[in-house]
C-alpha cells in the first residue's frame, strides 16, 4: 500500500474522516520473467508478505510497520475537486499550476554538491568494531518518480524524486550489499510561505528482483506509485492516488512498474549500526519517534542549513496477521467493530484499512473484502491488538527488521506537555521495537512524578521464542527541567517496566546525561502490554548557613561565639500512590500521609 496519501485529498474528494485506500489486484498466473542473480526468497525473519486474501466476506487484521512505494508530488490544491484533470505540477512555476496554494510530499534527492540543500548527504554502516563503512549512491529506484518535480530552495520547497539505492561495503546481507533509503518531507505552500508538517527517514536492505504477478491497475501501462490516471470499478477513468498494491508473493519496499522490478525487502545483518546525514533548510521540530535502538542524534547549523546525523541499530518488530470470515469472528470481538465500515468502533485518524478487490457494496460485511491496518503508533491500534492477541496465541506472524525515524503529527502530539511540543527546536526522540506503541511524548503523571509510556506486542516471535523489548528515550536536558521545574543542578533518573499484572518486569536499564541530552533505555523486558515508567528526581539544593553574628552575651576577649546551625532533614511521606518530600529541622508528615 502506498505510504503518505494526503488526508487533504481524501477529504476533498469524499468528505471522509479516515483514509481507506482501495487497491485492485487481479489474480493471474505467474508470468515468466528473467531470473535475477540468485534471487532471495524472503522468510518471516526478513519480511511480512501480505497474503492474497481476496474472498468476499473477509475481515482480515494486519499489524505491521512495513511500508512501500513512497511517492513524491507537488499538487495544486484548487484542482483537487475535479478528478478529470491532472492536479500535479512540475514546479511552482509550472504553467499548468496557476494557484498560490500547494501541498507537497518530497522524497528528497541525494546531495550532489556541497551547496545542495534538502537532500540526503550520506548513508553508511558502523560495524561491531566501530569502523564506519561509507555507502555509495547507485541509482534512484524507480529511475524517475511518477510525479517528480523541482523545488525552490529559496522558498524552502524541497524537490521530489524516487528513493535511492546505496551500496554499503562491509554491510552485506542475504541479497548483497544494497540498501534502499528514503527521506521524506511533507507540507504545504500558501502564498509563498512554506511549512514542513512531517519528516521521515527509512533504510531497508534490498535485492532488486523481477516483479512477480503484478497486474490489475486497470490501464494498459501500470504507472508507478503516485498521482495518475486510474480506473474505477465501473470502468471510468479518473485522476487520483494509486500504487501497485500487493501480489502475495513479495514484500517490495518499492516497485518500478515500467521495468517490472521489485526492491525486495530483506533483513539487516547483525551487529551493525546505520548512520545517515541529511541537509535541510526546513527543520523538523518537537518530538520524533522511530524504529531503532541506542539512537544517537546530532545537528549543526550554518548559513541557514542544518545537518542532521541519525545513527542507531536496526530492530526486529513483531508483525501479526489474522485472516477471518466476518461471520466466523468470535462475537465478543466482532461486536467491537463497525459492521458498515469494518474498522474498530470509535476509530480515530490512526485506523486505516484497504480492500484487496473492488466491491459493489462496501457497507455489507458479508460481501465486502476488508483488511484493518491500524497505525503502529496510536491508541486505537493498541486497543485493537489487545483484542486479537489471545486468538493469535500471543504469537507473531513474522519478525522483520527495520530502521526508521519520523516526526509526530498534530494528532499524536495533542494533549502533550507544552515542554515537549516546542516548535522551534527538537525536543526528544522515543524508539521501540514494540508492535504497537505511543508515538508522542511520554505522559507526565503529576501524582507519581513519572513519565509513562505504553507499548504492546505478542509475547512470542514467529518461531515461538519469547520476544524481548527495547525502549530508548532521548530528551533535551532543558526539556526535562521544563517538565519538572528543575534547576540546572544534576538530575537523577530511574527507569522501570511495569507488566500488565502490575509487577515490575526484569529489564536492563541505563541512564546518562551528555551534551545537553538525557538518554534513558530499557531492554530485555517481555510483552504483552507493559508500561515503561521514567522517574526523574533532583537533589535538594545545599542549604548555605548564614554568616555567624557576634553573640550579644558577654564574651571572652579574642573569642567569637556563634549560634549553632540547625541541620535540615528531608523525609518522604506517602499516601496511596502520592508521595511528598518534607524538608525541615524536625520534619513531620502531613495528616493522612505516612513516613516511607
Amino acid at each position: 500500500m502506498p505510504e503518505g496519501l494526503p488526508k487533504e485529498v481524501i477529504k476533498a474528494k469524499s468528505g471522509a474522516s479516515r483514509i481507506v485506500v482501495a487497491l485492485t489486484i487481479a489474480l493471474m498466473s505467474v508470468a515468466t520473467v528473467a531470473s535475477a542473480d540468485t534471487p532471495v526468497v524472503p522468510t518471516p525473519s526478513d519480511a511480512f508478505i501480505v497474503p492474497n486474501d481476496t474472498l468476499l466476506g473477509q475481515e482480515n487484521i494486519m499489524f505491521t510497520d512495513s511500508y512501500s512505494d513512497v511517492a513524491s508530488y507537488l499538487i495544486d490544491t484548487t484542482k483537487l475537486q475535479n478528478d478529470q484533470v491532472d492536479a500535479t505540477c512540475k514546479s511552482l512555476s509550472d504553467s499548468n499550476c496557476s494557484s498560490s496554494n500547494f501541498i507537497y510530499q518530497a522524497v528528497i534527492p541525494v546531495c550532489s554538491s556541497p551547496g545542495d540543500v534538502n537532500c540526503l548527504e550520506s548513508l553508511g554502516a558502523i560495524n561491531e568494531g566501530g569502523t564506519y563503512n561509507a555507502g555509495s549512491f547507485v541509482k534512484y529506484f524507480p529511475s524517475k518518480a511518477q510525479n517528480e518535480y523541482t523545488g525552490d530552495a529559496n522558498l524552502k520547497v524541497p524537490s521530489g524524486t524516487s528513493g535511492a539505492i546505496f551500496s554499503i561495503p562491509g554491510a552485506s546481507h542475504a541479497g548483497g550489499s544494497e540498501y534502499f533509503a528514503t527521506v521524506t518531507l511533507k507540507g504545504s505552500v500558501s502564498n509563498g510561505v512554506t511549512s514542513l508538517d512531517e519528516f521521515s527517514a527509512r533504510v531497508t536492505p534490498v535485492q532488486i528482483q523481477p516483479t512477480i504477478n503484478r497486474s490489475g491497475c486497470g490501464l494498459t501501462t501500470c504507472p508507478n506509485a503516485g498521482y495518475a490516471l486510474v480506473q474505477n470499478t465501473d470502468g471510468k477513468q479518473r485522476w487520483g492516488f494509486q500504487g501497485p498494491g500487493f501480489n502475495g508473493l513479495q514484500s517490495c519496499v518499492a516497485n518500478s512498474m515500467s521495468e517490472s522490478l521489485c526492491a525486495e525487502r530483506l533483513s539487516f545483518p547483525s551487529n551493525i549500526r546505520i548512520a545517515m546525514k541529511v541537509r535541510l533548510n526546513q527543520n523538523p521540530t518537537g518530538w520524533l519517534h522511530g524504529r531503532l535502538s541506542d539512537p544517537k542524534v546530532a545537528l549543526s547549523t550554518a548559513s541557514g542549513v542544518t545537518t542532521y546525523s541519525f545513527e542507531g541499530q536496526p530492530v526486529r518488530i513483531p508483525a501479526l496477521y489474522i485472516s477471518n470470515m466476518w461471520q466466523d469472528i468470535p462475537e465478543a470481538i466482532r461486536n467491537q467493530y463497525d459492521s458498515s465500515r469494518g474498522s474498530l468502533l470509535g476509530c480515530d485518524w490512526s485506523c486505516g484499512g484497504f480492500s484487496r478487490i473492488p466491491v459493489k457494496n462496501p457497507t455489507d460485511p458479508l460481501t465486502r473484502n476488508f483488511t484493518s491496518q491500524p497505525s503502529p503508533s496510536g491508541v486505537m491500534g493498541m486497543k485493537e491488538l489487545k483484542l486479537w492477541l489471545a486468538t493469535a496465541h500471543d504469537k507473531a506472524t513474522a519478525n522483520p527488521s527495520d530502521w526508521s525515524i519520523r516526526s509526530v503529527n498534530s494528532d499524536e502530539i495533542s494533549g502533550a506537555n507544552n515542554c515537549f511540543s516546542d516548535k522551534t527546536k527538537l525536543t526528544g526522540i522515543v524508539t521501540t521495537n514494540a508492535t504497537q506503541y505511543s508515538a508522542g511524548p511520554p505522559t507526565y503523571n503529576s501524582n507519581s512524578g513519572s513519565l509513562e509510556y505504553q507499548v504492546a506486542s505478542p509475547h512470542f516471535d514467529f518461531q515461538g521464542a519469547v520476544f524481548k523489548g527495547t525502549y530508548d528515550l532521548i530528551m533535551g536536558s532543558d526539556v526535562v527541567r521544563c517538565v519538572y521545574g528543575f534547576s540546572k543542578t544534576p538530575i537523577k533518573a530511574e527507569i522501570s517496566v511495569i507488566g500488565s499484572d502490575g509487577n515490575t518486569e526484569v529489564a536492563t536499564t541505563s541512564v546518562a546525561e551528555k551534551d545537553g541530552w538525557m538518554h534513558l533505555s530499557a531492554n530485555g523486558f517481555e510483552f504483552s502490554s507493559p508500561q515503561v515508567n521514567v522517574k526523574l528526581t533532583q537533589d535538594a539544593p545545599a542549604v548555605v548557613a548564614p554568616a555567624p553574628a557576634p553573640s550579644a552575651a558577654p564574651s571572652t576577649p579574642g573569642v567569637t561565639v556563634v549560634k549553632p546551625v540547625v541541620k535540615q532533614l528531608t523525609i518522604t511521606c506517602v499516601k496511596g500512590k502520592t508521595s511528598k518530600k518534607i524538608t525541615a529541622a524536625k520534619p513531620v508528615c502531613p495528616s493522612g500521609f505516612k513516613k516511607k
Side-chain angles (χ1 to χ4, degrees):
M1 186 170 93
E3 181 178 88
L5 300 186
K7 287 184 278 187
E8 300 90 338
V9 174
I10 302 298
K11 291 179 180 178
K13 291 186 178 293
S14 66
S17 60
R18 54 191 280 273
I19 301 174
V20 178
V21 183
L23 300 175
T24 304
I25 304 296
L27 296 179
M28 302 176 61
S29 59
V30 177
T32 302
V33 294
S35 61
D37 293 334
T38 320
V40 175
V41 178
T43 70
S45 289
D46 296 311
F48 167 65
I49 298 176
V50 182
N52 259 334
D53 286 337
T54 57
L55 297 177
L56 293 177
Q58 279 191 315
E59 173 88 9
N60 307 310
I61 314 297
M62 183 163 70
F63 301 95
T64 177
D65 204 5
S66 61
Y67 68 106
S68 62
D69 293 295
V70 185
S72 291
Y73 53 77
L74 177 66
I75 287 180
D76 182 339
T77 57
T78 63
K79 294 187 174 185
L80 288 176
Q81 298 296 334
N82 186 353
D83 65 6
Q84 296 303 301
V85 300
D86 182 1
T88 62
C89 313
K90 300 299 182 185
S91 69
L92 293 177
S93 58
D94 189 339
S95 59
N96 187 48
C97 302
S98 57
S99 171
S100 59
N101 295 304
F102 305 85
I103 56 173
Y104 69 86
Q105 179 166 286
V107 179
I108 61 176
V110 175
C111 303
S112 58
S113 69
D116 287 351
V117 68
N118 294 324
C119 57
L120 172 55
E121 180 179 304
S122 65
L123 182 70
I126 302 169
N127 65 23
E128 196 171 10
T131 301
Y132 174 75
N133 297 291
S136 58
F137 172 62
V138 177
K139 62 179 180 179
Y140 291 108
F141 187 86
S143 56
K144 185 177 177 62
Q146 176 71 24
N147 309 119
E148 189 164 307
Y149 72 89
T150 302
D152 187 325
N154 292 327
L155 291 178
K156 298 184 178 181
V157 179
S159 294
T161 62
S162 300
I165 300 287
F166 281 79
S167 177
I168 306 180
S172 296
H173 50 78
S177 60
E178 291 189 338
Y179 290 76
F180 181 77
T182 57
V183 178
T184 307
L185 307 180
K186 186 176 181 179
S188 61
V189 185
S190 179
N191 299 316
V193 178
T194 304
S195 67
L196 174 63
D197 301 324
E198 296 180 23
F199 163 87
S200 66
R202 289 184 181 262
V203 178
T204 308
V206 295
Q207 183 186 50
I208 305 301
Q209 298 183 2
T211 297
I212 302 173
N213 189 22
R214 183 77 68 178
S215 183
C217 293
L219 299 175
T220 303
T221 302
C222 187
N224 290 318
Y227 198 80
L229 196 60
V230 296
Q231 187 165 291
N232 293 329
T233 55
D234 59 6
K236 294 181 180 180
Q237 294 181 357
R238 64 175 175 83
W239 284 91
F241 286 94
Q242 58 77 49
F246 313 109
N247 63 6
L249 300 169
Q250 293 173 297
S251 179
C252 305
V253 70
N255 293 273
S256 180
M257 301 310 299
S258 60
E259 303 170 277
S260 296
L261 292 177
C262 156
E264 183 74 73
R265 187 191 321 263
L266 297 172
S267 287
F268 285 90
S270 60
N271 300 319
I272 69 162
R273 295 174 62 82
I274 296 296
M276 171 189 282
K277 284 189 178 181
V278 182
R279 287 187 225 147
L280 304 175
N281 66 359
Q282 276 214 96
N283 301 325
T285 60
W287 198 259
L288 300 180
H289 62 109
R291 303 302 207 166
L292 56 157
S293 68
D294 190 20
K296 290 181 173 56
V297 178
L299 55 148
S300 59
T301 301
S303 303
V305 177
T306 302
T307 299
Y308 286 83
S309 298
F310 300 105
E311 180 193 318
Q313 187 168 349
V315 293
R316 290 197 173 275
I317 305 163
L320 181 62
Y321 182 85
I322 305 171
S323 177
N324 311 279
M325 299 303 291
W326 174 265
Q327 68 269 26
D328 296 333
I329 297 175
E331 185 177 4
I333 297 178
R334 190 172 62 238
N335 289 341
Q336 299 298 312
Y337 284 82
D338 185 331
S339 61
S340 66
R341 295 187 302 157
S343 57
L344 199 67
L345 290 171
C347 257
D348 58 7
W349 66 270
S350 64
C351 297
F354 57 91
S355 177
R356 296 298 301 273
I357 56 175
V359 293
K360 293 183 178 180
N361 186 4
T363 63
D364 183 355
L366 299 181
T367 61
R368 176 182 63 216
N369 178 278
F370 185 74
T371 298
S372 175
Q373 185 185 15
S375 164
S377 55
V379 174
M380 297 305 292
M382 200 169 301
K383 178 181 177 181
E384 192 168 5
L385 175 62
K386 293 177 183 179
L387 274 179
W388 289 98
L389 284 175
T391 302
H393 305 292
D394 224 357
K395 183 179 178 182
T397 307
N399 285 94
S401 54
D402 193 11
W403 189 100
S404 63
I405 192 164
R406 74 170 181 86
S407 60
V408 296
N409 58 39
S410 57
D411 298 291
E412 293 167 326
I413 200 73
S414 177
N417 187 289
N418 290 334
C419 302
F420 292 121
S421 54
D422 191 328
K423 294 184 178 180
T424 65
K425 61 184 178 182
L426 193 62
T427 57
I429 302 168
V430 63
T431 64
T432 180
N433 66 347
T435 302
Q436 297 289 143
Y437 65 101
S438 307
T443 301
Y444 177 58
N445 185 326
S446 57
N447 290 327
S448 64
S450 295
L451 296 173
E452 298 173 348
Y453 190 83
Q454 300 288 334
V455 291
S457 272
H459 191 76
F460 303 101
D461 66 17
F462 77 97
Q463 294 176 313
V466 174
F467 182 70
K468 300 291 188 178
T470 68
Y471 171 86
D472 288 275
L473 176 63
I474 300 178
M475 294 184 290
S477 299
D478 56 341
V479 175
V480 176
R481 295 182 175 96
C482 172
V483 172
Y484 284 87
F486 289 157
S487 66
K488 293 186 177 181
T489 54
I491 298 170
K492 295 180 179 180
E494 296 177 0
I495 185 168
S496 58
V497 182
I498 309 300
S500 54
D501 57 1
N503 294 320
T504 302
E505 297 277 348
V506 176
T508 301
T509 63
S510 65
V511 178
E513 187 177 8
K514 183 180 180 181
D515 299 329
W517 294 93
M518 176 157 280
H519 298 245
L520 306 101
S521 70
N523 297 284
F525 56 89
E526 298 180 6
F527 290 100
S528 296
S529 53
Q531 174 177 292
V532 182
N533 287 354
V534 174
K535 183 68 176 289
L536 296 159
T537 57
Q538 184 179 44
D539 290 336
V543 178
V544 179
S551 173
S555 58
T556 305
V559 178
T560 300
V561 179
V562 297
K563 294 181 179 180
V565 177
V566 179
K567 185 178 180 181
Q568 300 285 306
L569 300 175
T570 298
I571 62 173
T572 300
C573 304
V574 295
K575 180 181 179 182
K577 294 184 177 180
T578 304
S579 64
K580 292 184 178 181
K581 290 185 181 295
I582 307 297
T583 301
K586 295 182 179 181
V588 178
C589 288
S591 176
F593 284 75
K594 295 182 179 180
K595 183 177 178 182
K596 186 176 178 181

